[in-house]
Amino acid sequence: MRYAPGVPMALNPEQQQAVEHGPGPMLVLAGAGSGKTTVITQRIARLIERGTPPRAILAMTFTNKAANEMLERIVRLAGHRAAEATIGTFHAFGLKFLRIESKALGIPDGRFAIFDQADQAGVVREILRTVRGAADRRYDGWAILARISRARNEFVVPDAYEPRLGDEDGEVTKIVYPRYMKALRAFRAFDFDDLVCETVTLLESRDDVRERWQERYRYVLVDEYQDTNHAQLRLVRLLGGGHSNVCVVGDDDQAIYGWRGADVANILEFDQHFAGTRVVKLERNYRSCRAVLEVANGVIQASEGKRHDKRLVATRPDGQKVQMVVGENGEAEAQFIGNESRRLLDEGLKPRDIAVLFRSATQAEAIETAFKGQQIPYRLVGGTQFYEKKEVKDLIAYLRAALNPRDDISLRRIINYPARGIGDVAVERLAQHALANSKPLSWAVERAPTIPGLSPHAANGCKALHAVIEIASRRFAASESPCSIAKGIVSGVRLETDIAAGSGSNAVAARRKGNLDAFLAMLERNDDKLRGVDALGGFLQMMTLQSETDSDDPGNVATLTTIHGSKGLEFDTVFVAGLEEGLLPHARTLDAKASDVEPQDLGEERRLFYVAVTRAMNRLYLCRARTRQARGGPKGAARTPSRFLADVPPEWIESRAVTGFQPASMKSMLDGLAGVLAAIEKA
């Protein structure tokens, strides 16, 4: 039952129930490959067809990619007026809300920065420098941020934060947390957590605001509801509290983000939050052959924790049995995956049809080596995103500093880049002078010549920097072309010259300059939409919300990714690597001494395996090694098979053992030989 996106399809009875449901709360339990996106889009189209104004519909997702796909389908189904519906991520909705309600937040001009994770980490690093003993201990800033994020989404205020007994990182978090929040507000900035938490706080504290937004959105829909955290749950309840026209779609069997605060209880207890909930189960799977589904069902049915009772039902033929592969060691496992992938490619499969999934990114290196050896094009999910490229982020920092004089993080990033004589000592002197006067760093930079103890060289550097930012700021206020302003900054600070000098090779320099040119071209394409401080400021805010999953189609390449990174994707052929105790389930969940292990973590590891299995359409390989060298451990340490493999139905399995070197296909060997001969002839 494959179908073209945006084209009405024949719905099965359960899908029809969900689409035709009228007012009132509804929980759609959508198993993997059951057509949940179709149900959501056709339900929205049906609401519009019945007379609901598109502007009265709010649909929230977890990725911009999912939101864009949803909107495109709805427009095809219901016409261009459907584009008036609000469809986006939780964070995008929060940003929209905070911009509209900025006066109620004490920001009358509506101008504020959105700090991404790198910006957040920068704030934490600066705070840690002031914490006694932190520099010696070298605390993990990311781990502290994760703790702060968890506390904020549980609405634990800084004063109420209490770490567990003996939790040293928690003790430092208790010190950093209030300073971090104070710093954000001083910078007039919000981070990702703020976008939802501040929205919830305002909706809860202001009856007039809450009633206005409840009346604005008469129907609220949420995709991937199993991935919501406590703050997102409160947001959904607040928005839908006035009418209860709330439809959530999800699958508790695919709840795999507990480590970042998601709470599977939200979907398990939805009917307790919204009285009179109608439950619709989508169990017919249109993605995978029966062999894959039987393995998936066997694994998930063995769950010990609470779950909604459901079972995937195949609508496709049995297919070939699932391959259970045991390698002599980790290298043999990786080599098998590379060789088998090459064999399948030689038989006509395309690289984009192949995915290799693993629990930990540390497993990727051996698989990359195998793919390189077989000359298989691939992408390793988890690389640096476009907007996170240094040269792009540097230019964005200049733009943000010109738009928001209180954005100290952006200013610190570029204060001495390219080098202009403002060293670390000078930066600290500027920062202390600003702090003593309760002013932002930009204030001190402007007054650098008057600051005692600042060298003439540093003062001149500050003067040059201030001139560039001031010119850009005036041009923004005059609604000049953002692209022209950005080019003026690039030229004014000689950014391209620094890229050429600091890249190490012409190829790297060309690639970095190409990234800069691509960003400038994007500004130019949207010139008419981005003129003015508010327009460009809003664009840079939205840009911060982009995620890796929102990237364009990488082309005809195989995918190597963690299982978490594979969520929502599907492939003809899937290899799941490292199915061993300590990898899946992860060692952290098996460590009784770990302070942050929760009883439900092992259940989440099982669901993670289930997600990996259900990515496969036609071929599934479950791979493990008898021995594997762990990082920092002994070579060839014996490995125990993952406990989850014991729940795989044996009648759907075909076992294979691989030892040492595995020859590649005849075609790939001949191709390799031909390449060698050609190289000899050229020499």
Side-chain angles (χ1 to χ4, degrees):
M1 191 175 173
R2 312 301 293 174
Y3 53 89
V7 177
M9 61 174 283
L11 301 174
N12 66 42
E14 296 79 25
Q15 292 172 327
Q16 192 73 40
Q17 289 177 36
V19 169
E20 296 294 339
H21 176 73
M26 178 171 61
L27 168 62
V28 181
L29 294 170
S34 63
K36 70 176 179 67
T37 304
T38 295
V39 168
I40 296 175
T41 55
Q42 293 211 28
R43 173 162 174 75
I44 293 174
R46 187 73 174 120
L47 289 171
I48 295 172
E49 183 182 322
R50 287 176 172 170
T52 302
R55 292 186 178 184
I57 298 172
L58 167 65
M60 290 184 287
T61 70
F62 279 88
T63 68
N64 291 295
K65 183 178 180 181
N68 293 334
E69 180 184 352
M70 195 179 296
L71 182 59
E72 289 175 5
R73 290 197 190 188
I74 295 167
V75 168
R76 291 176 186 169
L77 291 167
H80 289 289
R81 66 190 182 111
E84 297 176 2
T86 300
I87 300 175
T89 65
F90 276 92
H91 292 128
F93 170 77
L95 176 57
K96 176 179 180 176
F97 177 91
L98 295 179
R99 292 185 63 139
I100 292 174
E101 301 291 349
S102 60
K103 290 183 180 178
L105 294 167
I107 309 175
D109 61 3
R111 297 180 192 173
F112 52 84
I114 301 295
F115 279 7
D116 61 18
Q117 289 185 328
D119 297 328
Q120 295 174 256
V123 175
V124 170
R125 281 195 299 271
E126 289 299 318
I127 296 171
L128 284 173
R129 292 175 62 183
T130 69
V131 177
R132 181 176 295 179
D136 299 331
R137 170 75 165 69
R138 293 200 173 190
Y139 287 94
D140 185 348
W142 293 107
I144 290 172
L145 270 174
R147 291 167 183 263
I148 292 173
S149 178
R150 178 69 68 93
R152 294 178 68 196
N153 283 290
E154 294 291 333
F155 290 86
V156 177
V157 298
D159 290 344
Y161 181 83
E162 291 296 337
R164 298 179 182 180
L165 187 65
D167 183 0
E168 194 173 348
D169 284 349
E171 293 292 343
V172 174
T173 301
K174 184 175 177 62
I175 299 171
V176 173
Y177 185 6
R179 300 183 189 183
Y180 172 79
M181 296 306 301
K182 185 177 179 181
L184 282 186
R185 300 303 173 253
F187 299 152
R188 197 191 271 192
F190 293 119
D191 63 13
F192 288 176
D193 293 321
D194 277 325
L195 297 178
V196 176
C197 293
E198 289 297 314
T199 298
V200 168
T201 299
L202 189 56
L203 288 170
E204 288 181 338
S205 62
R206 290 277 299 271
D207 293 346
D208 59 327
V209 176
R210 182 174 63 256
E211 290 168 3
R212 185 165 64 250
W213 284 84
Q214 287 177 345
E215 174 137 356
R216 175 170 183 167
Y217 294 118
R218 287 162 44 191
Y219 285 89
V220 177
L221 301 95
V222 184
D223 190 19
E224 303 286 6
Y225 192 68
Q226 77 280 348
D227 296 335
T228 54
N229 59 28
H230 180 67
Q232 291 159 340
L233 167 65
R234 284 169 71 163
L235 177 61
V236 173
R237 296 184 71 177
L238 285 163
L239 292 172
H243 46 69
S244 291
N245 295 329
V246 177
C247 169
V248 303
V249 183
D251 182 9
D252 51 295
D253 289 336
Q254 298 186 71
I256 60 173
Y257 294 114
W259 53 275
R260 69 181 188 192
D263 190 350
V264 69
N266 291 352
I267 192 170
L268 294 174
E269 300 170 1
F270 180 80
D271 58 345
Q272 299 175 34
H273 300 148
F274 292 92
T277 292
R278 181 179 188 181
V279 179
V280 178
K281 296 181 182 180
L282 306 182
E283 297 174 291
R284 306 188 200 199
N285 177 283
Y286 300 100
R287 173 187 299 160
S288 307
C289 63
R290 186 184 174 192
V292 170
L293 295 185
E294 292 297 337
V295 169
N297 284 327
V299 169
I300 206 63
Q301 295 291 333
S303 299
E304 295 180 358
K306 183 181 177 183
R307 62 182 289 271
H308 287 292
D309 183 31
K310 54 191 177 303
R311 183 182 181 89
L312 294 177
V313 178
T315 60
R316 297 183 54 215
D318 289 356
Q320 57 183 271
K321 288 186 176 183
V322 172
Q323 303 293 296
M324 188 83 77
V325 181
V326 184
E328 180 181 338
N329 49 44
E331 291 73 20
E333 175 200 49
Q335 192 176 77
F336 167 80
I337 293 172
N339 290 346
E340 185 73 355
S341 296
R342 168 49 63 191
R343 183 184 71 79
L344 293 171
L345 294 176
D346 291 345
E347 291 180 356
L349 206 65
K350 294 184 174 5
R352 67 163 61 95
D353 296 327
I354 296 174
V356 185
L357 314 182
F358 33 81
R359 177 64 176 87
S360 172
T362 59
Q363 298 170 246
E365 184 177 353
I367 299 168
E368 281 195 272
T369 300
F371 271 52
K372 288 175 181 175
Q374 293 292 346
Q375 299 181 333
I376 301 172
Y378 69 90
R379 64 160 180 162
L380 178 62
V381 177
T384 305
Q385 304 169 52
F386 176 74
Y387 293 121
E388 293 295 317
K389 302 287 186 183
K390 181 183 181 310
E391 53 278 2
V392 176
K393 193 155 186 174
D394 288 336
L395 181 53
I396 290 174
Y398 273 101
L399 296 174
R400 284 174 45 169
L403 291 167
N404 181 7
R406 302 184 68 86
D407 190 346
D408 283 15
I409 294 297
S410 293
L411 189 57
R412 276 182 175 268
R413 181 182 180 92
I414 56 155
I415 195 168
N416 198 42
Y417 181 77
R420 51 176 64 90
I422 312 173
D424 292 344
V425 173
V427 172
E428 285 308 304
R429 191 154 288 166
L430 289 163
Q432 290 300 321
H433 189 73
L435 183 64
N437 290 275
S438 301
K439 298 290 187 179
L441 184 60
S442 60
W443 179 86
V445 169
E446 183 180 358
R447 292 158 179 78
T450 67
I451 296 176
L454 203 66
S455 71
H457 192 42
N460 287 333
C462 288
K463 183 178 179 181
L465 174 63
H466 174 70
V468 171
I469 292 176
E470 181 66 18
I471 291 171
S473 183
R474 287 200 301 267
R475 294 181 68 185
F476 281 133
S479 295
E480 294 187 27
S481 163
C483 181
S484 175
I485 299 170
K487 286 180 177 179
I489 292 173
V490 171
S491 174
V493 302
R494 303 179 70 188
L495 203 56
E496 291 184 347
T497 301
D498 189 83
I499 287 174
S503 295
S505 71
N506 292 336
V508 173
R511 185 169 63 250
R512 294 182 63 197
K513 185 179 179 301
N515 291 332
L516 204 61
D517 290 341
F519 179 71
L520 292 169
M522 182 270 301
L523 290 179
E524 189 170 23
R525 286 195 305 272
N526 296 277
D527 182 81
D528 57 330
K529 302 176 185 175
L530 300 179
R531 289 180 181 254
V533 173
D534 291 340
L536 184 63
F539 170 76
L540 294 179
Q541 290 171 344
M542 288 299 299
M543 205 169 58
T544 307
L545 305 186
Q546 297 294 314
S547 67
E548 185 179 5
T549 53
D550 301 321
S551 59
D552 294 332
D553 184 351
N556 191 21
V557 297
T559 297
L560 277 55
T561 179
T562 64
I563 302 173
H564 286 101
S566 73
K567 181 83 169 359
L569 305 177
E570 62 181 26
F571 304 90
D572 178 274
T573 299
V574 170
F575 297 86
V576 187
L579 289 172
E580 304 145 24
E581 294 286 292
L583 284 176
L584 187 68
H586 196 276
R588 184 185 65 82
T589 65
L590 306 176
D591 185 3
K593 298 180 180 179
S595 62
D596 58 345
V597 172
E598 301 291 344
Q600 65 269 23
D601 286 353
L602 194 56
E604 183 161 309
E605 292 291 296
R606 179 180 292 279
R607 295 193 294 272
L608 196 58
F609 183 33
Y610 173 81
V611 167
V613 168
T614 54
R615 299 312 93 195
M617 298 167 65
N618 293 312
R619 299 179 187 86
L620 175 64
Y621 297 80
L622 304 179
C623 307
R624 66 179 180 88
R626 288 194 178 90
T627 64
R628 188 184 299 273
Q629 183 176 9
R631 179 171 290 183
K635 187 174 183 179
R639 308 291 294 185
T640 303
S642 170
R643 66 190 65 193
F644 305 139
L645 293 176
D647 300 314
V648 173
E651 63 269 26
W652 295 98
I653 291 296
E654 185 175 280
S655 297
R656 300 173 67 171
V658 291
T659 57
F661 174 75
Q662 296 293 307
S665 69
M666 181 60 70
K667 181 178 183 303
S668 62
M669 286 194 295
L670 291 174
D671 288 345
L673 180 60
V676 172
L677 293 174
I680 293 173
E681 289 179 2
K682 287 182 180 180

